[in-house]
Amino acid sequence: MSTSKVQAVHRIAVVGSGPRGLIVVERLAARLAEDGSGRPVEIHLIDAVEVGAGRVYRTDQPDWFLMNTVAGMVSAFSGVPDDGPTRAGAGPSLYEWWRTVDPENATPDGYAARADYGRYTQFLLSAVEANLPATVSLVRTLSRVDDLRRTPDGYRLTFSTGTELVVDQVVLTTGHSAPTLTGTEKALADFAATRPHLRYIRGDSAADMPLRDIPAGTPVGVIGLGLSFYDVLAELTLGRGGRFTERADGSLEYLPSGAEPVIVAGSRSGMPLPARGRNQKPPRYSYKAVLFTQDNIRGSRPVGPLDFRADVLPWLLAEMDLVRCATMLRQRSGEDSAAAFTGAVVRAAATGAPPDVVAIAGRVGITGVAPLDLDALARPFEGRRFADRAEFDRALVATMRADLREADLGNVDSPFKAAMDVIRDCRGFIMKLADFSGLAPTSHRDDFIGWYAPRSAFLAAGPPPVRLRQVIALLDCGLLRVIGPHARFAGDPELGRFTLSSPRVTGARTPVDVIVDARIPDPDLDRDLSPLTQRLRDSGIWSNYVNGEGPEAFRTGGVAVTTSPYHPVGRDGTVDTGLYVVGIPTEHTRWFMQVGSNRPGLWGDFVYDADAIAAHVIKEGS
């Protein structure tokens, strides 16, 4: 009589089903389909808000919260469609899916709602599940993981309901969470806590803020003019029943419902985030830098950590100047002239130093152009003083209209927007330079995180142009004011109210009763309030990544992980090879972990990270 040994089930947990968690599941499914071993595998996909979409892209949020990348350039699949069924490794882009469900509104260069992206990722998960090998199953769990402990059999996950799950390996893609308030934010929250008529709303995704609780007519102060500002603005206007209509000249007019609060917003720059240029690039576009290269950057410092300002930034600025001037020359004299100019600039770089691109451009007739200055671009009102609010309002609207004119030209034909797109197009290479202590500690903290990252976000991560047109309409109807540069937010004990002010605008001091922080909190392991994060930190499984040693050591706030496939490094230096951490928790260990998609058919770190994790999980489980 023959007997066969029953093969144990290999159980894998993926905690967090936002884009990072889903691409891990997608790559696990693709690799298991190729594996053909027939071994039994359970993939447990766990999310506290919505399995298959996550919190940020949950499908029940309003449609006025938009994506910030055009639909044709977004894919959650690791490969493009082929002759087979939609499955792991072969699926449509966001646009290709969108046009099947909403053909009247879907365009490749349009901006889908975030809820639509969640519906698209739900479609992905269903397609992946439908085409899993017969011995592989997907288990969806809607619950919050509050604890993770090592056991002799693997890892025990404890849910907020008290139930438990034991698995062999865990992939942690837990996304954003709330940190302990400090500094100005804590002072504002404490001020409101003792005054029942005031309210401080901490930074978060606008869809999860209690903005609907704010009564009509309430004066509301908004901290920050970045991407989340536009979401807050949409919720407090469109979300209150107001409408934007288009005038004959193409500008927008806002028709209030009467249910809106009165909004006063401010930031250090005093300028809402500039618009993305109208897209003119194909979905699979990939930029190849000619100056901002590994050889050039490492020419003066072959080994060791880089100094961002000295070693990296000059070459990036040269690349941006090259694109800007070459675009001008192409429009004036054609492609051949632009190519000849580019060749001359590249030859000038052979000396080992960043070339003076603007001077070379001057020799071929591109005159009156100054080298790009990221400070001046990101702080357009710096050094200026305004006699009153009306003078600042005029300057603000003029600056936004000028930006919209550039955006309308497009991200290829506008010399300025084409140059700003270099920041986006070179982001992957910058990540490789900065990740895992690629920059010296002081330069990493001060030059990169403190200086470059916010300017990069301001200049290259902008909203759809319609958002700026809406801001102008709201300024025009009086429901919105921008307080001015160097905005200050404080509690006034004598008034018993919050105040907003700008030292650069005479008379710009306004009392408000609600403060909304329209900034996504920066990840920080030491301050994270998530029960799971606190458990992992306190038990020593997660530790804070430190760049450098001695007095210059920089405690980054990111989770310490190995290089790919990103195992956590514990407080005692132990590497846990059954755990994997990717995405937001590792921000500052690595850079720009908030990316939530890839371009159709083009693998970037978003897919490579997931594939490396999937490969290791399957290998270790065999």
Side-chain angles (χ1 to χ4, degrees):
M1 177 176 175
S2 63
T3 60
S4 60
K5 184 179 179 182
V6 177
Q7 199 170 5
V9 177
H10 179 198
R11 291 185 174 88
I12 307 156
V14 178
V15 181
S17 75
R20 288 278 187 177
L22 287 173
I23 193 63
V24 169
V25 171
E26 199 256 20
R27 291 312 304 157
L28 280 168
R31 283 187 168 270
L32 286 166
E34 296 169 357
D35 175 68
S37 66
R39 58 186 147 171
V41 177
E42 287 181 2
I43 303 171
H44 293 259
L45 182 59
I46 304 162
D47 199 279
V49 176
E50 182 177 350
V51 180
R55 182 167 74 100
V56 172
Y57 298 105
R58 59 184 174 83
T59 58
D60 64 348
Q61 64 186 298
D63 286 343
W64 48 77
F65 297 129
L66 301 179
M67 301 285 286
N68 294 303
T69 303
V70 296
M73 284 195 165
V74 173
S75 180
F77 287 88
S78 61
V80 297
D82 57 18
D83 294 334
T86 298
R87 63 194 187 283
S93 70
L94 173 59
Y95 162 66
E96 290 167 335
W97 169 86
W98 188 19
R99 71 185 179 189
T100 67
V101 298
D102 187 11
E104 291 186 3
N105 294 307
T107 63
D109 296 326
Y111 294 85
R114 284 208 288 270
D116 279 332
Y117 189 62
R119 286 184 270 273
Y120 166 64
T121 58
Q122 288 281 14
F123 163 80
L124 174 148
L125 187 59
S126 295
V128 166
E129 184 175 19
N131 290 278
L132 287 172
T135 57
V136 179
S137 60
L138 176 69
V139 181
R140 307 180 191 213
T141 302
L142 181 64
S143 189
R144 190 184 73 208
V145 178
D146 281 352
D147 196 5
L148 182 156
R149 295 175 186 266
R150 297 188 188 97
T151 71
D153 301 322
Y155 301 90
R156 177 178 289 109
L157 305 179
T158 303
F159 298 103
S160 54
T161 58
T163 58
E164 296 181 339
L165 172 69
V166 175
V167 297
D168 299 293
Q169 292 145 302
V170 183
V171 184
L172 295 155
T173 65
T174 47
H176 287 284
S177 64
T180 303
L181 295 176
T182 59
T184 300
E185 294 77 20
K186 184 177 187 303
L188 292 170
D190 290 347
F191 187 79
T194 59
R195 295 164 176 83
H197 61 289
L198 301 182
R199 186 162 190 183
Y200 170 78
I201 299 176
R202 65 181 300 153
D204 200 351
S205 169
D208 294 310
M209 290 179 170
L211 299 176
R212 296 185 181 184
D213 298 342
I214 301 171
T218 301
V220 175
V222 178
I223 304 176
L225 295 170
L227 287 175
S228 293
F229 158 73
Y230 291 103
D231 290 338
V232 168
L233 205 59
E235 178 65 29
L236 295 178
T237 54
L238 295 171
R240 298 300 179 97
R243 294 186 298 114
F244 291 96
T245 61
E246 191 166 354
R247 298 187 179 105
D249 64 358
S251 65
L252 296 182
E253 179 182 6
Y254 183 70
L255 304 178
S257 67
E260 301 90 344
V262 179
I263 304 160
V264 187
S267 69
R268 185 177 302 171
S269 72
M271 172 69 186
L273 210 64
R276 293 284 305 278
R278 176 177 58 87
N279 184 54
Q280 298 176 290
K281 299 175 180 178
R284 301 187 71 182
Y285 173 82
S286 180
Y287 178 74
K288 183 174 176 59
V290 296
L291 297 177
F292 191 58
T293 65
Q294 178 80 11
D295 288 345
N296 283 337
I297 290 168
R298 280 294 181 184
S300 59
R301 199 185 301 269
V303 295
L306 296 163
D307 182 298
F308 183 78
R309 281 190 187 270
D311 302 324
V312 180
L313 182 62
W315 288 104
L316 177 61
L317 291 174
E319 188 78 34
M320 294 171 68
D321 278 329
L322 171 60
V323 168
R324 181 179 53 146
C325 293
T327 302
M328 293 177 181
L329 193 59
R330 172 174 57 82
Q331 292 174 343
R332 190 194 70 181
S333 305
E335 294 284 358
D336 290 344
S337 295
F341 166 69
T342 299
V345 171
V346 171
R347 288 191 295 275
T351 62
D356 188 338
V357 176
V358 169
I360 299 170
R363 295 198 287 269
V364 294
I366 302 296
T367 58
V369 177
L372 289 169
D373 180 338
L374 298 191
D375 272 326
L377 293 172
R379 305 286 187 266
F381 306 118
E382 195 65 28
R384 296 178 62 181
R385 294 191 174 274
F386 301 89
D388 53 29
R389 293 185 300 193
E391 182 182 352
F392 174 70
D393 289 347
R394 288 192 295 272
L396 174 63
V397 171
T399 304
M400 287 193 290
R401 284 181 173 152
D403 182 70
L404 283 169
R405 286 193 293 272
E406 292 293 333
D408 287 344
L409 290 174
N411 58 6
V412 172
D413 290 339
S414 162
F416 176 72
K417 292 298 181 182
M420 295 306 104
D421 252 26
V422 170
I423 295 175
R424 288 181 68 89
D425 292 334
C426 292
R427 188 182 287 151
F429 180 47
I430 295 173
M431 290 164 63
K432 288 178 172 57
L433 295 173
D435 291 356
F436 298 107
S437 302
L439 300 174
T442 301
S443 186
H444 184 197
R445 182 190 63 225
D446 299 339
D447 300 334
F448 188 67
I449 295 175
W451 183 85
Y452 176 74
R455 284 155 181 78
S456 167
F458 183 89
L459 295 169
V466 68
R467 291 304 202 198
L468 264 74
R469 297 170 67 208
Q470 291 173 349
V471 167
I472 293 172
L474 290 167
L475 289 167
D476 186 53
C477 79
L479 274 177
L480 170 67
R481 276 189 47 220
V482 175
I483 199 72
H486 293 270
R488 296 173 179 172
F489 299 79
D492 187 322
E494 292 185 6
L495 285 178
R497 303 177 75 186
F498 297 117
T499 61
L500 275 71
S501 61
S502 167
R504 305 297 174 87
V505 182
T506 301
R509 186 173 187 270
T510 301
V512 297
D513 297 324
V514 176
I515 291 282
V516 177
D517 193 339
R519 300 170 299 177
I520 299 298
D522 205 29
D524 186 342
L525 177 61
D526 292 337
R527 296 167 50 218
D528 198 306
L529 293 174
S530 158
L532 177 60
T533 300
Q534 290 183 338
R535 166 60 193 162
L536 292 167
R537 181 192 64 210
D538 294 346
S539 66
I541 295 174
W542 278 10
S543 64
N544 202 311
Y545 184 80
V546 179
N547 182 357
E549 299 177 349
E552 289 191 352
F554 168 39
R555 192 175 176 89
T556 65
V559 174
V561 292
T562 65
T563 55
S564 181
Y566 312 112
H567 302 300
V569 181
R571 188 187 304 131
D572 61 359
T574 301
V575 174
D576 194 323
T577 58
L579 297 180
Y580 311 80
V581 190
V582 70
I584 295 297
T586 64
E587 182 68 23
H588 304 321
T589 307
R590 307 172 67 200
W591 183 56
F592 211 78
M593 291 292 97
Q594 66 265 43
V595 63
S597 66
N598 58 288
R599 291 182 179 175
L602 297 179
W603 281 29
D605 283 355
F606 176 74
V607 181
Y608 280 121
D609 290 352
D611 188 62
I613 290 171
H616 191 271
V617 166
I618 293 169
K619 178 183 176 183
E620 293 300 303
S622 60

